[in-house]
Amino acid sequence: MEVRVRYAPSPTGLQHIGGIRTALFNYFFARANGGKFILRVEDTDRERYSDESLEDLYSTLEWLGIKWDEGPVVGGPCGPYIQSERFDLYKKYAEELVEKGKAYYCFCTPERLEEVRKQQVESKSEYQGYDRHCAHLSDSEIKEYLRQGIKPVIRLRVPTEGKTTFHDILMGDITRRNRDVSPDPILLKSDGFPTYHLANVVDDHLMGITHIMRAQEWIPSGPLHVLLYEAFGWEIPQYCHLPMVMGKDGQKLSKRHGSTAVRDFRAKGYLPEAIINYVTLVGWSLDGSTEFFSKEELEKCFTMEGIHKAPAVFDYKKLDWFNGQYIRQADDSRLASLITPYLQEAGYVKNPLSAEDADLISKIVPPVKERMKVLSDVVPLTAFLFEDKPVTDKAVYVAKGSDEEKTGEALQRGSDILLSGLKNGEKEESIEEKLTALSQELGIKVNGVFQPIRVAITNSTVSLPLFDSIRLLGIDETEKRLMRAVKLFEEN
Ligand code: GLU
Ligand code: ZN
């Protein structure tokens, strides 16, 4: 049996971490089993639909390098793969259920349904939901309604007795009393639009889906879907509901924890390989210890057995760490082109790049590569090269354990050591040794000398290594900035 799995998002919002985690698990499971990964767009909710979401879906998967074997754009034997293009089909299947007696027409007006609901609330009735008013209409009653031009919805006839069990690979058997399953849910709306349940089940069947891996929030729909498969007489696919994605505080991951839209991560400068690697580890592991996986490796080694049952934590810091690792592994030339848009956006280099810009960027890459967590870090790290905004608050120069007076002296004597050393072609280690000796003489920590020098040169406390900064800035500009800081401390 060929494995066929699908990612079936609704284009009602941006692709987020939880969504692409589902996509990745399905994709890797298909690849590792020589199966097919299908993309299906579940756009039956026309009110919440947006073009932007659909574009975001395609561009996010493309950016991650997740190619679907069948789906929109590429087509396939079970198309179309966009539900709004399949509406006739759902109608046909809903009517088939009516003919079999498994579903029925309901002509209730919204007013009547509202009245029923109100009464249930008022009488604190144990029974909530549709009262099955139309469950047993006679043929002539139905004809009469239709003659009056009333458009019916089609409802599934949920058994009132018995239980329904659906099996989940991770969670085991989940059993519900049928009377607790939503009473006779709508399958087809009066305008002919299917509801999620109908379209989802019909498509999973017609598309030959063998395994359904989806978010745990769909577990409550499980029994209903099983009842639908049974009503049609179709084979039930295997279910595997994925562990919830939580923030570090144990609450469901949401905007409160930070950005969750993949687009935002991309904009900040996360690399796709870092996202793929880390997100796949949110609720999955191979052996409990291996952390680094390339996409190609995951395409081979992903297993359903490795999926965890317990909720998984999405840790932003851990993702930063992975991203830093991947940045350090990346090719310098690739990094050069990746950081360029950030520098252009900041107005530091031209668009298109001049030859000098390109040359400067290639020199920037090696030192920033060691310091960036995300690509956008390149802007604060290199701002000192493109704009000169001297720090005038003396306190910023003063390192812990030092004071203003010692800082002034460290700046003055340190600048001498540094500049004469550089001009005489002295080795960096030897200059560093002398600066360290100066700190000892002044009775302060090494940083008491280095911090003011760094702040003077880079106008910031977060920056590149000292000698890299000087190399990029040039000796004349370095001297100018050091002298300016010395003067600042000489004043008053
Ligand atoms: N369209 C549903 C969603 O957005 C799909 C759920 C499922 O995979 O069955 O999550
Ligand atoms: Zn009714």
Side-chain angles (χ1 to χ4, degrees):
M1 178 188 74
E2 184 188 50
V3 162
R4 289 177 63 83
V5 292
R6 53 32 171 213
Y7 178 45
S10 300
T12 54
L14 299 175
Q15 288 299 301
H16 54 81
I17 293 295
I20 61 145
R21 205 257 325 241
T22 301
L24 289 168
F25 281 21
N26 277 287
Y27 171 79
F28 289 133
F29 182 67
R31 283 288 157 280
N33 290 284
K36 292 279 188 301
F37 173 66
I38 294 148
L39 179 65
R40 182 171 77 227
V41 174
E42 299 207 328
D43 59 345
T44 52
D45 185 345
R46 298 312 287 176
E47 265 156 47
R48 291 176 53 220
Y49 169 86
S50 81
D51 281 336
E52 190 198 8
S53 314
L54 191 59
E55 278 152 30
D56 180 70
L57 167 66
Y58 295 152
S59 67
T60 300
L61 293 182
E62 193 193 319
W63 179 66
L64 291 170
I66 305 294
K67 292 209 175 76
W68 51 99
D69 302 301
E70 297 172 26
V73 191
V74 302
C78 309
Y81 293 88
I82 298 186
Q83 289 189 326
S84 58
E85 295 171 13
R86 299 167 65 82
F87 278 1
D88 292 347
L89 215 97
Y90 307 125
K91 188 155 191 277
K92 182 185 134 215
Y93 280 98
E95 268 157 9
E96 186 188 308
L97 286 186
V98 174
E99 254 152 55
K100 284 179 161 177
K102 306 282 186 184
Y104 58 88
Y105 292 120
C106 162
F107 295 90
C108 292
T109 60
E111 292 75 29
R112 177 175 184 279
L113 295 175
E114 178 53 25
E115 192 52 40
V116 169
R117 197 193 63 82
K118 252 202 203 144
Q119 274 176 19
Q120 285 171 349
V121 172
E122 268 163 33
S123 66
K124 298 202 172 69
S125 158
E126 191 206 329
Y127 185 91
Q128 298 280 324
Y130 181 59
D131 63 353
R132 296 191 165 98
H133 180 257
C134 305
H136 301 287
L137 296 178
S138 66
D139 282 356
S140 60
E141 283 171 305
I142 293 174
K143 276 205 189 101
E144 177 54 22
Y145 278 125
L146 290 174
R147 198 192 56 76
Q148 291 171 23
I150 304 176
K151 289 218 158 62
V153 303
I154 293 179
R155 291 182 184 272
L156 178 68
R157 202 185 291 281
V158 174
T160 48
E161 304 286 312
K163 292 173 180 164
T164 298
T165 296
F166 89 96
H167 181 75
D168 183 274
I169 294 173
L170 279 179
M171 316 299 283
D173 281 348
I174 299 179
T175 303
R176 288 271 171 289
R177 292 185 304 186
N178 287 333
R179 50 183 280 207
D180 294 335
V181 175
S182 156
D184 298 7
I186 297 175
L187 300 178
L188 199 76
K189 298 181 211 166
S190 57
D191 57 9
F193 281 36
T195 57
Y196 157 72
H197 303 295
L198 177 68
N200 185 270
V201 165
V202 166
D203 284 351
D204 281 339
H205 173 72
L206 294 179
M207 296 178 182
I209 300 304
T210 56
H211 299 76
I212 295 181
M213 272 181 270
R214 63 181 173 192
Q216 249 181 36
E217 65 197 78
W218 294 105
I219 284 184
S221 302
L224 178 59
H225 290 191
V226 167
L227 286 168
L228 258 172
Y229 281 103
E230 284 172 351
F232 280 116
W234 293 339
E235 197 186 327
I236 298 166
Q238 307 238 40
Y239 286 102
C240 176
H241 286 87
L242 306 177
M244 295 263 277
V245 182
M246 317 294 236
K248 273 196 112 172
D249 58 357
Q251 303 289 313
K252 189 173 182 243
L253 188 70
S254 76
K255 294 205 180 97
R256 279 185 306 113
H257 297 100
S259 214
T260 60
V262 179
R263 190 165 87 174
D264 295 343
F265 287 97
R266 183 179 172 181
K268 260 185 104 179
Y270 289 85
L271 302 184
E273 57 265 45
I275 300 267
I276 288 178
N277 190 155
Y278 180 58
V279 171
T280 305
L281 294 180
V282 177
W284 178 84
S285 63
L286 181 67
D287 50 17
S289 60
T290 312
E291 282 199 306
F292 279 95
F293 294 94
S294 68
K295 179 161 156 278
E296 292 67 31
E297 285 165 341
L298 290 165
E299 286 175 8
K300 293 203 186 79
C301 72
F302 189 87
T303 59
M304 203 177 259
E305 290 72 40
I307 299 176
H308 304 161
K309 212 162 138 174
V313 173
F314 179 80
D315 179 350
Y316 287 83
K317 289 234 171 70
K318 189 83 204 228
L319 173 62
D320 282 353
W321 180 80
F322 269 102
N323 205 53
Q325 299 293 318
Y326 277 104
I327 285 178
R328 283 178 259 308
Q329 278 175 30
D331 258 24
D332 284 7
S333 62
R334 176 179 172 217
L335 278 179
S337 56
L338 287 174
I339 61 173
T340 295
Y342 296 96
L343 297 171
Q344 283 170 330
E345 172 133 351
Y348 292 168
V349 295
K350 285 183 220 64
N351 187 6
L353 290 180
S354 68
E356 298 93 83
D357 289 341
D359 184 52
L360 178 60
I361 290 175
S362 70
K363 291 194 177 110
I364 285 175
V365 168
V368 294
K369 184 175 182 176
E370 301 303 319
R371 297 269 160 124
M372 288 189 292
K373 282 201 186 88
V374 290
L375 298 168
S376 55
D377 286 344
V378 72
V379 172
L381 283 172
T382 62
F384 73 103
L385 294 173
F386 302 101
E387 56 190 15
D388 185 17
K389 291 187 183 153
V391 176
T392 52
D393 176 3
K394 286 188 196 166
V396 178
Y397 295 79
V398 181
K400 263 208 194 91
S402 183
D403 58 31
E404 222 176 78
E405 200 190 314
K406 286 179 180 161
T407 301
E409 198 174 342
L411 260 176
Q412 194 181 39
R413 293 175 59 189
S415 297
D416 269 355
I417 294 170
L418 188 59
L419 291 168
S420 62
L422 288 168
K423 286 178 190 166
N424 296 328
E426 204 177 326
K427 282 225 166 73
E428 286 169 12
E429 299 85 76
S430 133
I431 300 177
E432 270 172 16
E433 271 166 29
K434 287 184 186 164
L435 292 173
T436 306
L438 172 63
S439 70
Q440 285 160 356
E441 191 184 319
L442 294 174
I444 51 180
K445 293 206 182 103
V446 194
N447 204 31
V449 173
F450 280 91
Q451 175 163 325
I453 292 178
R454 245 188 285 111
V455 173
I457 294 173
T458 66
N459 301 327
S460 167
T461 48
V462 283
S463 60
L464 303 177
L466 180 61
F467 289 103
D468 289 319
S469 303
I470 297 172
R471 250 191 304 281
L472 290 168
L473 196 61
I475 184 95
D476 292 343
E477 183 65 21
T478 300
E479 178 161 16
K480 190 190 110 193
R481 293 188 186 184
L482 282 170
M483 292 306 113
R484 181 171 67 196
V486 168
K487 225 170 128 208
L488 175 73
F489 275 81
E490 278 167 4
E491 280 160 14
N492 65 55

